[in-house]
Amino acid sequence: MMNFWFQDRRIAIPIIFAITMGILFGHLLGNILLSDESVNVIGKTPTKGIYLLQSQAFPEEATALYAQAKMREEGFETIVVKEFNHYYLYHAVSTDPNQFHTIINNFEEKGISYQVKEKMLHRYIEPMKNDPDLIQDVQFYLTTIDYYIQLLDGETVNFSEEYVKNLSKTNIDIFHQLYLLHTIHHSPLSDYYELIVYKTIAEVLM
């Protein structure tokens, strides 16, 4: 039953995404332009880190994807994320590592090795700050990370007008995923989509 649920979640997410994004994106733009309640965090450097529960890492994608399939067969939500030259298997993300307690207990019962990694995502933007042509990109990604951390903390996010104005062809996918996470927060899909948003951010910045 657990395996079926995870498979069903992965099938449901792209369907939900396709149906909702066209409707919600239009509403979002209208609400931002008409609302004066949005909090402007453009240029703010997030100071809070995130934690990731990792089991395995591989130099080759095919091997990582095979390991992902085996972990999912065991009933563990798993995604593969490319960071620099390696592929990592992650199972949960949070601003509080104590949230991993249940999964870690299941890992230990099955003899699965794991580690909890802390990451300060804004540090991966540092090299971009030296390029004057990337000022808007730096602002966009800093704000994206700040919104992401707020969502991981269970807070409500108000996307600012200035943030939306910085959307482009290269970053709109991240915004779509972040906004979808915002709309499905506290639903059964949110844990999985928190990982998906991390994957997208990481593979752009690393």
Side-chain angles (χ1 to χ4, degrees), residues 34-142:
L34 294 174
S35 174
D36 58 1
E37 297 179 354
S38 296
V39 178
N40 184 1
V41 296
I42 294 292
K44 175 183 175 183
T45 300
T47 57
K48 192 170 186 177
I50 64 169
Y51 296 89
L52 291 142
L53 179 59
Q54 175 202 323
S55 61
Q56 303 172 67
F58 302 93
E60 297 180 354
E61 183 179 20
T63 310
L65 291 175
Y66 176 79
Q68 173 186 258
K70 301 301 288 185
M71 290 296 287
R72 286 177 171 174
E73 287 177 5
E74 292 288 335
F76 296 110
E77 194 62 87
T78 310
I79 64 166
V80 173
V81 179
K82 183 181 181 183
E83 297 176 4
F84 303 109
N85 296 321
H86 279 74
Y87 297 86
Y88 297 86
L89 269 63
Y90 290 122
H91 309 277
V93 57
S94 178
T95 55
D96 179 6
N98 293 316
Q99 297 295 320
F100 304 151
H101 180 72
T102 300
I103 305 175
I104 287 174
N105 282 346
N106 291 333
F107 278 179
E108 291 176 346
E109 288 177 3
K110 293 178 178 290
I112 297 172
S113 299
Y114 66 88
Q115 61 175 305
V116 176
K117 297 165 62 173
E118 182 180 15
K119 287 185 179 289
M120 302 292 288
L121 291 176
H122 69 274
R123 292 179 180 170
Y124 298 103
I125 301 175
E126 293 298 324
M128 299 170 61
K129 292 183 177 180
N130 298 322
D131 189 337
D133 294 331
L134 297 178
I135 291 176
Q136 285 190 337
D137 289 332
V138 168
Q139 292 178 337
F140 176 84
Y141 289 121
L142 285 175

